Amino acid sequence: MTALTEEFIRFAVDAQVIRFGEFVTKAGRTSPYFFNAGLFNDGANLGKVANFYAQTLLDSGIAFDMLFGPAYKGITLASATAVALANKGRNVPFAYNRKEAKDHGEGGTIVGAKLAGRIVIIDDVISAGTSVRESVELIRAAGAEPAAVLIALDRMERVGADDALSANSAVQEVSRSYGIPVIAIANLNDLFACLSAENADARLSQFKDAVANYRQKYGVL
């Protein structure tokens, strides 16, 4: 785990974007933790998380020309990341999509810069991969190239029903299906390492066993 990743996890916990307890996920699983990027909901926290996205992207070495944010959470994240990149000396255009096409004004489903070149898709997490699929289709239809997907947290969970779990996670399925890398600021292994550290806050380390059991049941190897 890099220092940047550890700093991000501590920041997300402090901002209560990562919470521990019992939560029912979109897949119907009872999870001991929950990640809600919608709680990066003030200027200071949005600016901070954008810096994590921007630095992670730059550190990845991925070649890219612009950013794309799928509706809805990806819109804010891509926009803020573009600002953070510009502050780091890398000024790139960005765009996002509407859920429904607009039939007046500029029209269409794409807002912002014209889709062109190598594009990084920015979102919070990948669950079913629906927003990524739609983004890839929009980008390729415009004659551009999806270069990578950048997310905040890789839950590293196998997809499927409990009695028919896939060997792969949603992130792995996306990467394999579209032939593009998925970059995460942090993943479940990183989160577990923070909970298991000798200097871990006792308020957090109490959830270590619950997260370990969840990872054992649903996690990818």
Side-chain angles (χ1 to χ4, degrees):
M1 177 172 55
T2 66
L4 184 75
T5 294
E6 183 176 1
E7 184 183 354
F8 169 74
I9 291 174
R10 295 188 185 284
F11 160 64
V13 170
D14 288 343
Q16 297 189 54
V17 170
I18 297 178
R19 297 184 181 186
F20 297 94
E22 286 193 1
F23 307 91
V24 178
T25 69
K26 187 176 181 179
R29 299 171 181 172
T30 300
S31 171
Y33 74 98
F34 186 66
F35 181 86
N36 181 8
L39 294 177
F40 291 124
N41 56 12
D42 62 39
N45 280 340
L46 181 59
K48 288 178 183 177
V49 75
N51 274 319
F52 284 112
Y53 271 98
Q55 194 59 54
T56 299
L57 179 54
L58 294 174
D59 290 347
S60 74
I62 294 291
F64 67 99
D65 301 302
M66 70 175 292
L67 309 179
F68 181 81
Y72 289 101
K73 288 179 181 175
I75 295 174
T76 301
L77 295 172
S79 304
T81 300
V83 174
L85 283 169
N87 289 336
K88 294 176 182 293
R90 183 71 194 277
N91 186 32
V92 297
F94 70 93
Y96 57 90
N97 66 307
R98 297 186 178 95
K99 286 289 189 179
E100 297 180 359
K102 187 177 180 182
D103 59 5
H104 60 282
E106 73 275 21
T109 58
I110 303 299
V111 181
K114 179 182 178 181
L115 298 178
R118 299 160 297 185
I119 302 177
V120 174
I121 300 164
I122 296 188
D123 216 341
D124 55 345
V125 296
I126 293 177
S127 297
T130 304
S131 66
V132 173
R133 184 187 72 248
E134 293 173 349
S135 299
V136 168
E137 291 173 353
L138 285 169
I139 290 167
R140 288 179 174 167
E145 174 191 350
V149 181
L150 174 61
I151 59 175
L153 182 69
D154 177 2
R155 291 178 59 92
M156 301 181 71
E157 288 184 27
R158 292 188 288 167
V159 295
D162 281 12
D163 59 353
L165 288 172
S166 167
N168 299 318
S169 69
V171 164
Q172 290 171 329
E173 292 283 359
V174 163
S175 184
R176 186 179 65 175
S177 296
Y178 303 111
I180 56 177
V182 178
I183 310 157
I185 303 173
N187 60 37
L188 179 57
N189 288 342
D190 299 323
L191 179 60
F192 184 72
C194 283
L195 297 178
S196 305
E198 290 184 3
N199 62 343
D201 189 319
R203 294 172 299 174
L204 302 181
S205 61
Q206 65 177 307
F207 298 105
K208 179 183 69 173
D209 291 343
V211 173
N213 292 337
Y214 189 79
R215 185 174 64 162
Q216 177 67 31
K217 183 173 182 179
Y218 293 114
V220 292
L221 299 177

